[in-house]
């Protein structure tokens, strides 16, 4: 992409309404524009990252054997009356009437809709286990929408639903989700810790939230620092293997890690003092097992191999895809701007032309630009007639992990400069070598 032809409306000033870094930087980097409280337009670069995160979530869900689909944003109120949640949900639910005066609502989540699909089409143990998911916009009329996309009213969420014949099989689905979520967050360059939590309006007995540690997080969390050493890495997981998923679940849930809702000081104080930590966290996902709560109220039953008719066991699992962008920025920025992890960056490398219009400088930038594209990578070429200082400030603000700088001075010696956004270190090298270095860096992410 050539910056002269892109739409990247960066702001020079800090917007007064933004209280935390991610909100401020998303506005300044031209990623989002508020249209009304807690509702945003996703401008091209914000949208690009949203799509990248969505793809990572899809890939990891499909890898775990879960099946993608798409349900609507508007739902009939009657289904929620059946489950008993229409009244319970209160003011958070946006209620709408259609032209026939029928009660509709903008879905805050999809347990009712999916249970309705299930009960209409599945009736036998032979069709189980089954996990369906979608990634769709949700609406919750939050009391205090704030911090930009972190607590929005309209937000983008992956929500998945498992249907199993019994508790044992449903717990395998629970463990499988935990593992697939850990992989998802790691690919995004995030450390998200699973913590025992409270199930709130979704209901159920078992639930874990995934929290990214950050001072600006809305939750208070307590944990044993041993959990920070755990990593899924590039270990391949057989998602059908109940024992393997259970082992990973145990490994990650053995160290103490709880949100304030489930925190227990008596247990916490037994951890050696140097490992006992408390901090703030951003909730980027949650998994639930709620057994037969919805299947019983909505009549979603299946015939067992014994011929007995039983309510299906269910769980639901959510990832806050739009919130994740805020969480990534909270975890990865400095006073000059965002620092994208390689796995989610909107463009792989920035190109700064220090002397636009100089034939040789233009030619080298162009060669690098085409070279990157030939390697299947996406460069962002700042080809505007702007002074160097402004170009550097924009690149630092939007936070691409790598930048090359091309100018007549370096070209006298045949070199350009390659700079890492994270370390700030620069190296002079030949164009071919810079291409090779960048391609190598990204080989682990494509
Ligand atoms: N039905 C379940 C699982 S699918 C459910 O709705 N879970 S949830 O309420 O925990 O939401 C899932 C994730 O969506 C949360 O972990 C959080 O990351 C994200 N989320 C929830 N509310 C908001 C909001 N107002 N703005 C941005 N993200 C949100």
């Amino acid at each position: 992409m050539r910056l002269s032809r892109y739409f990247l409306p960066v702001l020079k000033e800090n917007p007064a309404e933004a209280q935390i870094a991610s909100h401020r930087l998303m506005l300044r980097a031209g990623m989002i524009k508020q249209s009304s409280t807690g509702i945003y337009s996703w401008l091209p670069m914000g949208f690009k990252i949203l799509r990248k995160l969505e793809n990572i979530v899809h890939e990891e869900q499909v890898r775990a054997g879960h099946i993608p689909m798409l349900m609507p944003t508007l739902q009939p109120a009657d289904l929620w009356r059946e489950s008993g949640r229409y009244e319970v949900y209160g003011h958070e639910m946006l209620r709408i009437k259609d032209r026939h005066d029928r009660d509709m609502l903008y879905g805050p989540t999809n347990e009712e809709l999916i249970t309705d699909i299930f009960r209409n089409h599945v009736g036998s143990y032979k069709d189980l286990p089954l996990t369906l998911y979608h990634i769709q916009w949700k609406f919750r009329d939050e009391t205090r929408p704030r911090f930009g996309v972190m607590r929005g009213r309209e937000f983008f969420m992956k929500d998945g639903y498992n249907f199993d014949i019994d508790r044992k099989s449903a717990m395998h689905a629970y463990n499988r989700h935990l593992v697939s979520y850990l992989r998802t967050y790691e690919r995004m360059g995030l450390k998200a810790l699973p913590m025992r939590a409270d199930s709130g309006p979704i209901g159920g007995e078992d639930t874990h939230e995934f929290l990214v540690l950050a001072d600006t997080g809305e939750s208070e969390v307590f944990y044993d620092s041993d959990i920070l050493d755990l990593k899924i890495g590039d270990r391949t997981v057989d998602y059908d293997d109940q024992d393997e998923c259970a082992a990973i679940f145990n490994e990650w849930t053995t160290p103490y890690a709880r949100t304030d809702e489930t925190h227990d000081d008596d247990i916490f104080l037994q951890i050696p003092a140097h490992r006992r930590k408390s901090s703030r966290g951003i909730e980027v996902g949650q998994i639930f097992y709620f057994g037969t709560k919805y299947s019983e109220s909505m009549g979603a039953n299946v015939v067992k191999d014994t011929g007995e008719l039983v309510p299906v066991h269910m769980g639901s699992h959510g990832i806050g895809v739009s919130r994740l962008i805020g969480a990534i920025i909270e975890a990865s920025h400095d006073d000059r701007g965002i620092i994208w992890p390689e796995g989610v960056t909107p463009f792989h490398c920035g190109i700064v032309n220090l002397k636009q219009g100089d034939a040789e400088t233009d030619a080298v930038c162009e060669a690098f630009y085409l070279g990157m594209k030939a390697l299947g990578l996406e460069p962002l070429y700042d080809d505007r007639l702007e002074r160097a200082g402004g170009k550097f400030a924009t690149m630092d603000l939007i936070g691409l992990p790598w930048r090359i700088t091309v100018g007549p001075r370096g070209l006298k010696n045949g070199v350009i400069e390659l700079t890492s956004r994270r370390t700030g270190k620069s190296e002079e090298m030949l164009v071919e070598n810079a291409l090779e270095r960048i391609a190598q860096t990204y080989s682990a992410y494509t």
Side-chain angles (χ1 to χ4, degrees):
M1 180 54 67
R2 293 167 202 276
L3 199 44
S4 62
R5 296 194 202 155
Y6 200 41
F7 182 63
L8 187 74
V10 299
L11 307 178
K12 293 225 158 48
E13 305 298 327
N14 277 331
E17 74 268 28
Q19 299 163 28
I20 62 170
S22 57
H23 188 193
R24 192 164 61 236
L25 291 171
M26 286 182 78
L27 291 169
R28 283 203 50 207
M31 293 171 61
I32 51 168
K33 156 99 177 60
Q34 182 173 302
S35 68
S36 58
T37 308
I39 304 179
Y40 292 87
S41 293
W42 292 79
L43 306 182
M45 204 177 72
F47 176 62
K48 206 158 191 298
I49 296 161
L50 193 66
R51 280 285 173 265
K52 281 215 166 179
L53 298 190
E54 183 184 8
N55 283 340
I56 292 177
V57 173
H58 270 304
E59 282 174 19
E60 293 306 325
Q61 286 308 299
V62 169
R63 197 194 300 280
H66 306 157
I67 306 171
M69 61 179 294
L70 187 60
M71 289 177 269
T73 51
L74 294 185
Q75 306 183 16
D78 280 346
L79 285 179
W80 288 69
R81 292 198 174 100
E82 271 191 67
S83 74
R85 285 208 296 180
Y86 191 61
E87 303 309 329
V88 178
Y89 234 90
H91 290 301
E92 262 198 22
M93 181 181 274
L94 180 64
R95 293 154 209 259
I96 305 159
K97 273 194 196 292
D98 70 9
R99 65 160 74 204
H100 304 292
D101 222 26
R102 271 190 292 255
D103 291 324
M104 310 281 291
L105 57 99
Y106 195 129
T109 174
N110 282 58
E111 279 82 1
E112 285 74 2
L113 210 57
I114 196 84
T115 307
D116 181 52
I117 292 170
F118 181 88
R119 69 181 173 187
N120 273 278
H121 296 288
V122 184
S124 161
Y125 72 96
K126 289 181 196 149
D127 298 319
L128 303 183
L130 178 66
T131 297
L132 299 166
Y133 77 92
H134 74 161
I135 307 182
Q136 175 63 294
W137 294 95
K138 304 291 185 295
F139 194 94
R140 295 183 190 172
D141 209 346
E142 302 270 354
T143 341
R144 283 187 72 198
R146 57 182 185 153
F147 300 160
V149 300
M150 205 77 99
R151 179 165 296 280
R153 294 199 294 165
E154 188 185 49
F155 60 97
F156 203 41
M157 178 170 110
K158 172 262 164 184
D159 43 324
Y161 305 86
N162 67 285
F163 301 91
D164 287 86
I165 196 70
D166 54 23
R167 183 185 159 87
K168 181 165 182 280
S169 178
M171 287 320 288
H172 173 50
Y174 190 84
N175 297 344
R176 209 171 55 227
H177 277 89
L178 181 123
V179 178
S180 69
Y181 279 25
L182 291 172
R183 274 189 67 113
T184 303
Y185 300 126
E186 272 188 22
R187 276 187 64 184
M188 295 174 182
L190 277 177
K191 190 147 211 117
L193 308 173
M195 301 200 176
R196 275 270 293 278
D198 183 66
S199 67
I202 310 288
E205 331 151 22
D206 289 292
T207 182
H208 281 84
E209 283 180 7
F210 292 79
L211 288 115
V212 172
L213 302 179
D215 294 340
T216 47
E218 292 191 293
S219 317
E220 191 178 10
V221 299
F222 302 84
Y223 62 97
D224 177 340
S225 62
D226 271 5
I227 196 174
L228 298 173
D229 300 332
L230 298 175
K231 202 170 178 338
I232 293 283
D234 47 17
R235 138 184 194 175
T236 49
V237 179
D238 177 357
Y239 281 105
D240 288 331
D241 185 336
Q242 300 210 4
D243 294 338
E244 185 178 2
C245 291
I248 299 175
F249 175 86
N250 288 335
E251 186 188 359
W252 280 82
T253 55
T254 301
Y256 186 94
R258 296 190 186 188
T259 62
D260 54 358
E261 298 154 342
T262 56
H263 177 60
D264 182 333
D265 241 352
D266 291 340
I267 311 176
F268 190 55
L269 290 170
Q270 289 166 21
I271 302 167
H274 68 283
R275 286 186 0 220
R276 224 183 291 144
K277 307 279 176 206
S278 72
S279 74
R280 313 283 309 171
I282 302 168
E283 182 205 323
V284 291
Q286 187 161 7
I287 54 177
F288 302 84
Y289 166 69
F290 41 70
T292 55
K293 173 179 156 124
Y294 296 90
S295 51
E296 275 187 48
S297 57
M298 296 181 66
N301 301 314
V302 280
V303 180
K304 284 175 85 166
D305 53 357
T306 56
E308 190 191 346
L309 194 64
V310 292
V312 71
H313 284 250
M314 291 174 62
S316 73
H317 319 275
I319 293 184
V321 182
S322 47
R323 175 180 286 182
L324 269 167
I325 299 183
I328 292 170
I329 297 175
E330 287 301 320
S332 186
H333 70 272
D334 61 18
D335 50 12
R336 286 175 294 142
I338 304 166
I339 307 173
W340 291 115
E342 262 97 349
V344 302
T345 184
F347 296 96
H348 297 103
C349 176
I351 305 171
V352 170
N353 184 332
L354 291 179
K355 199 165 184 198
Q356 203 70 42
D358 172 70
E360 195 190 358
T361 312
D362 289 358
V364 170
C365 286
E366 203 63 31
F368 186 88
Y369 181 73
L370 296 174
M372 284 274 292
K373 288 175 64 135
L375 289 167
L377 296 169
E378 282 188 281
L380 180 67
Y381 175 17
D382 192 344
D383 58 345
R384 298 169 304 161
L385 279 172
E386 248 217 54
R387 53 184 190 82
K391 290 189 174 187
F392 289 135
T394 300
M395 283 294 174
D396 282 346
L397 173 64
I398 66 173
L400 311 181
W402 298 97
R403 181 189 86 207
I404 69 148
T405 310
V406 185
R409 197 139 37 111
L411 289 182
K412 260 190 213 142
N413 305 316
V415 295
I416 56 155
E417 198 179 62
L418 176 68
T419 309
S420 154
R421 174 69 181 84
R422 193 169 290 280
T423 65
K425 286 211 182 92
S426 293
E427 266 185 82
E428 291 195 329
M429 58 180 79
L430 301 172
V431 166
E432 310 84 85
N433 294 351
L435 277 172
E436 200 180 297
R437 179 84 74 81
I438 292 171
Q440 199 168 11
T441 310
Y442 283 108
S443 61
Y445 298 94
T446 42

